[in-house]
Amino acid sequence: MAQRTLARYLIEEQRNKGVITGDLKFLIEVVSRACQAISIAIGKGGLGGVLGEAGSDNVQGEAQKKLDVLSNEILLDANEWGGHLAAMASEEMDLPFTIPHRYPQGEYLLLFDPLDGSSNIDVDVSIGTIFSVLKCPDGADLSTPEASEAAFLQPGAAQVAAGYAVYGPTTVLVLTVGDGVAVFTLDREQGSFVLTQENVQIPADTAEFAINMANMRHWEAPVQRYVAEMQQGREGPLGKDYNMRWVGSMVADVHRIVTRGGIFMYPMDAKVRNKGGKLRLMYEANPMAFLVEQAGGAASTGNRRILDIEPERLHQRVAVILGSKNEVARVVAYHA
Ligand code: AHM
Ligand code: MG
């Protein structure tokens, strides 16, 4: 049988299953091509002059890397002209990007973290792009970037697609259109994403956890308790030995969990409490929560399901605990 490329997978989701519209198919293909372009830019590294600081700060006051800025531009340029979008929002931009009047407007909203794991760019460790797609509400005011913000403030459960690309030893695109999770690997010679795994299922149990242990003293009691119990291993109340991994790129840590199970936590802690958490709801938590749930896992703040949160602001932050369902349930129970 012929290779199933992303294009073919999407045609099947549209034509045979009726899960997606033609415009959503086009949108995902455009995003995947932008991810290929980002992958090429990253691959040049020091040879392409793309490493290092951009000399600017983003809306969150974080120093931008050259590749943060470049990846953001690649995604904007690829998506502005196709007629499939009403507006875009990015972790790297203060306000939404409204589609210029010279192009037709579509019915979707695209949100992205153009390059996740910025601290890993210059040290040649896996980084990624995360994206989320919403329907633009009928009659939404898109007359100015400021006014258009309201259209984006929908709970994660309303997403019609989400995905991420990991730029690691291989470039992999992981996608959900609400019909399970599929994994595509970039064939660099052909220049196309090829389906390498379908109906991904995250094992319900795990013995692997991911958390930044340097923040331990700042965590709340339920997470303190859970991590302490895991560290007690076989001799402790959980009765098994755990292993720990922390890449520091959410995309890479979540991809490991999607591949072989595990639990990822960037919980509420005293250091980030005044910001609401570390990770961004709209660009990181929601798309990852949608993917993880579609793969049979769970995603919570500790107190509530992430996909149920009614966002108040575009750049809102949130505590994130996601992955293997039984372990997430345990941490949630410790919060109750
Ligand atoms: P970024 O989008 O600016 O790269 O920040 C998000 C990243 C996540 O990818 C990762 O899980 C987390 O920040 C790592 O944080 P820390 O450096 O505190 O371990
Ligand atoms: Mg990020």
Side-chain angles (χ1 to χ4, degrees):
M1 188 181 149
Q3 274 188 334
R4 280 174 77 203
T5 57
L6 175 66
R8 184 166 176 158
Y9 174 87
L10 293 173
I11 279 281
E12 289 167 5
E13 292 296 307
Q14 181 199 354
R15 200 170 53 197
N16 306 357
K17 295 189 176 177
V19 174
I20 59 172
T21 63
D23 268 6
L24 184 54
K25 176 174 86 67
F26 179 69
L27 185 167
I28 294 166
E29 288 190 292
V30 171
V31 170
S32 80
R33 279 198 293 276
C35 291
Q36 277 189 52
I38 295 170
S39 171
I40 290 167
I42 290 168
K44 293 195 200 301
L47 299 175
V50 293
L51 301 184
E53 308 290 328
S56 50
D57 284 353
N58 68 11
V59 55
Q60 350 257 344
E62 298 158 340
Q64 291 176 303
K65 303 278 185 187
K66 285 184 192 161
L67 273 172
D68 285 324
V69 175
L70 184 64
S71 305
N72 194 58
E73 278 167 10
I74 289 174
L75 280 155
L76 292 178
D77 290 350
N79 280 288
E80 66 172 355
W81 50 267
H84 53 292
L85 286 182
M88 291 183 255
S90 163
E91 185 182 304
E92 299 297 338
M93 299 186 306
D94 196 354
L95 291 170
F97 176 97
T98 46
I99 300 300
H101 291 305
R102 60 185 182 279
Y103 301 122
Q105 274 186 14
E107 56 176 339
Y108 294 103
L109 300 169
L110 174 65
L111 301 96
F112 45 81
D113 177 355
L115 204 54
D116 177 64
S118 300
S119 72
N120 280 324
I121 295 175
D122 291 345
V123 293
D124 207 14
V125 171
S126 293
I127 44 186
T129 297
I130 311 173
F131 66 94
S132 160
V133 185
L134 295 163
K135 279 284 280 288
C136 187
D138 288 338
D141 181 357
L142 304 172
S143 58
T144 62
E146 287 82 356
S148 71
E149 190 167 327
F152 289 89
L153 302 181
Q154 306 177 39
Q159 291 171 102
V160 293
Y164 61 79
V166 201
Y167 312 112
T170 54
T171 289
V172 169
L173 183 83
V174 178
L175 174 72
T176 185
V177 292
D179 181 30
V181 174
V183 179
F184 304 85
T185 303
L186 179 61
D187 180 327
R188 293 180 201 274
E189 281 75 42
Q190 307 270 7
S192 57
F193 280 101
V194 178
L195 184 72
T196 43
Q197 205 189 343
E198 226 177 338
N199 300 322
V200 175
Q201 287 297 316
I202 297 173
D205 291 297
T206 185
E208 202 161 61
F209 70 97
I211 193 165
N212 185 340
M213 293 290 287
N215 297 327
M216 189 175 215
R217 68 189 187 286
H218 303 297
W219 299 335
E220 293 178 340
V223 172
Q224 295 270 6
R225 172 184 169 193
Y226 176 57
V227 174
E229 288 181 359
M230 287 192 290
Q231 287 183 292
Q232 290 167 48
R234 295 166 79 91
E235 292 78 33
L238 306 184
K240 62 181 172 186
D241 289 333
Y242 283 76
N243 192 18
M244 193 200 86
R245 287 285 183 275
W246 182 252
V247 179
S249 297
M250 187 193 200
V251 166
D253 280 310
V254 170
H255 189 58
R256 184 184 59 256
I257 289 169
V258 163
T259 306
R260 68 177 187 214
I263 180 164
F264 169 95
M265 291 172 281
Y266 214 116
M268 187 55 73
D269 74 36
K271 236 171 50 178
V272 294
R273 181 180 316 282
N274 60 346
K275 295 183 193 161
K278 157 89 184 192
L279 298 173
R280 267 77 25 151
L281 175 63
M282 306 299 285
Y283 316 107
E284 296 169 326
N286 273 343
M288 291 309 201
F290 187 22
L291 283 158
V292 164
E293 284 199 4
Q294 282 288 315
S300 170
T301 64
N303 296 306
R304 59 184 309 196
R305 181 178 176 235
I306 285 176
L307 294 181
D308 287 337
I309 297 172
E310 293 281 349
E312 287 161 18
R313 291 181 319 278
L314 202 49
H315 296 291
Q316 183 169 338
R317 298 180 189 241
V318 69
V320 176
I321 298 168
L322 60 76
S324 292
K325 157 166 107 189
N326 293 342
E327 292 292 326
V328 174
R330 182 188 305 280
V331 189
V332 169
Y334 288 4
H335 280 79

